Amino acid sequence: MGRSRRSFSRRTFLKAAAGVAAGTGLIRQPLTAQAITGALHTHGIPVLANSFVPLERNGQRIWLAGIKDVLEDQPNLEAALPTGRSEHEPVILLAHEPDFADYAVGRQVDLVLSGHTHGGQILLPLLPPLMLPDMGIKYVHGLFRMRDGMQLYVNRGIGAVTLPFRFRCQPEITVITLAQG
C-alpha cells in the first residue's frame, strides 16, 4: 500500500496576520537547500538570505531581516539590514548561528533569533555542553541581553545532530509575542 502525500497550501501551512518569511539554516546538501527554498517560494514565502522584508499591522511596521548561513555561505549583514527605516521601527534579524550576534551589536538590530546549537544536545552534570558547533560556542540557549540593548534568543530546536538523541536537553519550540513598549 502506497503512502499518501499531503500537500499544504500557504493558507493551511503557515499564516500570520502580518505575513510569513523564512530564514536559512545550515543545510549541507545543496540540492536539499534548493528544494526547501523552492518550496517556500512556491508558497509565496520569502526566504531572507542577506535581505529583509517589512511586516506591517495596524499602521505599525517592523523589519524582518535574515543573513545567509555563516559556515556554508557568505552572510552580508549590510545587505540584510533595511535602509532608510524610522528609528521607531524595530529590526529582527534571523541568523542561524548565534555567535554571529556579536557582529550585529551596534547595528540598530533589536532582536536576533538563532538556533544551530541544539542547546548543546547532551548535557552532563557539572560539565559544559558536549556537542557545540562552530559559531555556537558562546551563546548556547536562552535569552541574552547584549551591550547595546539588543537581545539574542537561541532556540534549542527539536532535532539532533551527529548522535540521534538528546540527554538532559529538552526539545523546544518557542512562541514569541511582540508587544509595543
Side-chain angles (χ1 to χ4, degrees), residues 160-179:
V161 66
T162 307
L163 299 174
F165 63 90
R166 291 171 175 253
F167 183 73
R168 297 186 68 223
C169 184
Q170 293 296 314
E172 171 184 35
I173 295 175
T174 303
V175 175
I176 296 174
T177 302
L178 302 176

Side-chain angles (χ1 to χ4, degrees), residues 3-4 19 31-32 49 52 67 91 125 140 142 147-150 164 168 179:
R3 295 188 339 185
S4 72
L31 292 178
T32 303
F52 57 87
I67 59 164
V91 174
V140 179
R147 65 182 174 268
D148 71 342
M150 180 182 85
R168 297 186 68 223

Side-chain angles (χ1 to χ4, degrees), residues 51-83:
S51 58
F52 57 87
V53 295
L55 300 178
E56 298 180 12
R57 186 172 182 193
N58 299 328
Q60 296 182 322
R61 178 185 299 151
I62 64 173
W63 294 92
L64 190 57
I67 59 164
K68 291 183 176 183
D69 185 80
V70 174
L71 299 174
E72 296 289 321
D73 218 324
Q74 296 181 357
N76 183 336
L77 187 57
E78 189 70 33
L81 296 178
T83 56

